[in-house]
Amino acid sequence: MKRLVLLGGGYGGVRIIQRLLASHIPTELEILLIDREPFHCLKTEYYALAAGTVSDTDVRVPFPEHPKLKFHFGEVTAIDLNEQVIKLRDEEEPIPYDELVIGLGSEDKYHGVPGAGEYTLSIQSIDDARQTSQTLSNLPPNGVVAVVGAGLSGVEIASELRESRPDLKIKLYDRGKTILSDFPERLSRYVENWFIDNDVEVINESNITKVEEFKLYNNDEPIDFDAVVWTAGIQPHKLVRDLPVEKDQNNRIILTAHHYIPSHPNVYVVGDCASLPHAPSAQLAEEQAEQIVTVMLKRWNGEELTPLPPIKLKGVLGSLGPKHGFGVMGSTALTGRVARLLKSGVLWLYKRNYG
């Protein structure tokens, strides 16, 4: 019996499982998923869980069920590529594999800012989002919240927090001259105006130099806060950063054109841990997963690997509370209620077609 082990049941790992279980896979193959959680977590919705506008059950769904699919729930502590085993916390016996998919996701990147890791709130895991939700919901009336990082996650949690806690004073810190500078100017201007209309202060050209308990330093100027939420960048899981394989400048693993590690052809990397020509996203992880399954099936069938087409993304959608949104589909910038309805529709379709 050959064993395919998947580390992480995120968007990429689950898409691989779905496609494999719907294909003609070898009868002697066993698929084992290792994850900390006993369910698939919808990471793109953690901002709403953290802000308190959705419940825990809204951002998780059961893993697929199939006779070929086994589960092992626990925390991975080591990946030994040479011995081909996975080690888990509080377990003496390592788990062997014949083929491996690494999809451990990402963690916050603090850019060397002192105190950021100790004194800020996170939304990088479901546990982080739960703790952030509890802290923000327990803030006193008229409390002051800083959101550091005005990318997609920062914009969404700031707007969602305005919906759940209209009494709070919210400040969104952005390093750029304009918010969402990578998006079309019309869209960026729309989001900025939404924040102005909804009393969320955007501080452009900020530079967070230090964080202390209940205090943030912007360009070395101390400012008091009741809570600080960090959304200023991500990096691959620490276990991936520590692997002795070639990585890019962002510590993501460099792969062959067929998504496996050059020195370890039986090890694939999917999602945030992989060096790809696009910024990490759930959509990118799913598109890459589709190609990984194509490669796996060809190899198992003894077929020659042919060049894969470039991964093309459909677009990006973000929310501004429950009624407004923004996004880019192809070359078209979308704002307002249409963009928000599209984002809700994508989530509904994902849940409906899942499993």
Side-chain angles (χ1 to χ4, degrees):
M1 182 69 72
K2 290 187 176 181
R3 174 181 284 171
L4 167 65
V5 173
L6 295 100
L7 301 184
Y11 291 98
V14 163
R15 179 60 64 90
I16 289 174
I17 289 172
Q18 290 174 316
R19 292 296 179 257
L20 286 179
L21 295 180
S23 304
H24 295 292
I25 59 177
T27 56
E28 69 275 10
L29 179 71
E30 175 189 79
I31 303 173
L32 177 66
L33 173 63
I34 300 176
D35 199 281
R36 288 183 300 182
E37 305 292 343
F39 37 71
H40 171 47
C41 299
L42 307 178
K43 189 174 182 179
T44 58
E45 304 305 304
Y46 284 174
Y47 73 92
L49 174 61
T53 55
V54 302
S55 69
D56 190 278
T57 55
D58 291 322
V59 299
R60 54 184 173 90
V61 290
F63 283 124
E65 294 183 2
H66 192 278
K68 281 280 187 182
L69 177 62
K70 309 297 181 185
F71 300 96
H72 196 114
F73 299 118
E75 183 180 351
V76 178
T77 58
I79 304 169
D80 191 326
L81 297 177
N82 294 322
E83 295 297 324
Q84 295 191 182
V85 295
I86 306 300
K87 299 176 183 178
L88 283 81
R89 188 174 304 283
D90 300 325
E91 296 189 25
E92 293 185 5
E93 291 296 320
I95 297 175
Y97 66 83
D98 296 291
E99 293 187 52
L100 179 68
V101 177
I102 300 174
L104 291 174
S106 55
E107 304 172 341
D108 286 301
K109 186 173 184 178
Y110 297 110
H111 307 284
V113 176
E118 294 81 5
Y119 299 114
T120 65
L121 302 171
S122 172
I123 58 170
Q124 285 304 312
S125 72
I126 193 167
D127 283 341
D128 291 336
R130 288 166 177 155
Q131 294 172 20
T132 298
S133 176
Q134 184 175 10
T135 299
L136 295 177
S137 65
N138 288 336
L139 290 179
N142 303 313
V144 184
V145 177
V147 178
V148 179
L152 184 62
S153 295
V155 165
E156 289 191 312
I157 193 169
S159 60
E160 204 76 9
L161 187 58
R162 168 54 69 231
E163 172 70 19
S164 66
R165 290 292 305 270
D167 60 295
L168 295 178
K169 186 172 183 179
I170 303 170
K171 296 186 177 184
L172 179 59
Y173 285 86
D174 180 24
R175 288 183 64 90
K177 293 183 179 181
T178 58
I179 202 168
L180 296 174
S181 57
D182 291 337
F183 286 76
E185 182 181 352
R186 181 174 73 85
L187 187 151
S188 174
R189 193 163 54 245
Y190 174 84
V191 174
E192 283 195 334
N193 288 335
W194 189 94
F195 280 131
I196 292 171
D197 294 341
N198 288 274
D199 196 28
V200 174
E201 183 181 358
V202 178
I203 298 95
N204 295 114
E205 298 185 276
S206 64
N207 180 28
I208 306 306
T209 53
K210 185 167 65 172
V211 183
E212 296 176 348
E213 189 172 15
F214 306 121
K215 195 181 298 288
L216 185 75
Y217 289 77
N218 181 30
N219 292 304
D220 295 325
E221 178 187 350
I223 308 163
D224 292 329
F225 286 98
D226 294 283
V228 178
V229 182
W230 191 270
T231 63
I234 59 172
Q235 60 185 343
H237 191 285
K238 186 179 186 304
L239 290 179
V240 170
R241 302 199 306 272
D242 291 343
L243 281 179
V245 296
E246 188 178 4
K247 306 181 191 75
D248 64 15
Q249 61 183 1
N250 295 311
N251 268 321
R252 299 186 178 104
I253 297 177
I254 294 175
L255 306 173
T256 69
H258 294 93
H259 306 296
Y260 58 80
I261 299 176
S263 57
H264 296 82
N266 62 329
V267 181
Y268 304 86
V269 184
V270 68
D272 297 355
C273 300
S275 180
L276 297 170
H278 300 281
S281 68
Q283 183 185 167
L284 176 61
E286 290 183 325
E287 293 298 323
Q288 186 198 9
E290 298 277 357
Q291 294 194 348
I292 289 175
V293 170
T294 297
V295 173
M296 286 179 169
L297 293 175
K298 284 193 173 186
R299 284 176 143 187
W300 294 338
N301 292 329
E303 300 175 22
E304 181 181 354
L305 295 183
T306 55
L308 295 167
I311 293 177
K312 295 182 179 180
L313 303 182
K314 299 176 179 67
V316 180
L317 292 169
S319 69
L320 291 170
K323 297 180 180 179
H324 300 271
F326 60 94
V328 177
M329 302 298 289
S331 59
T332 303
L334 303 172
T335 58
R337 191 158 183 80
V338 170
R340 187 65 180 91
L341 288 172
L342 279 173
K343 187 176 190 298
S344 297
V346 168
L347 178 61
W348 180 84
L349 282 174
Y350 184 87
K351 288 183 174 182
R352 182 176 184 272
N353 296 327
Y354 176 82

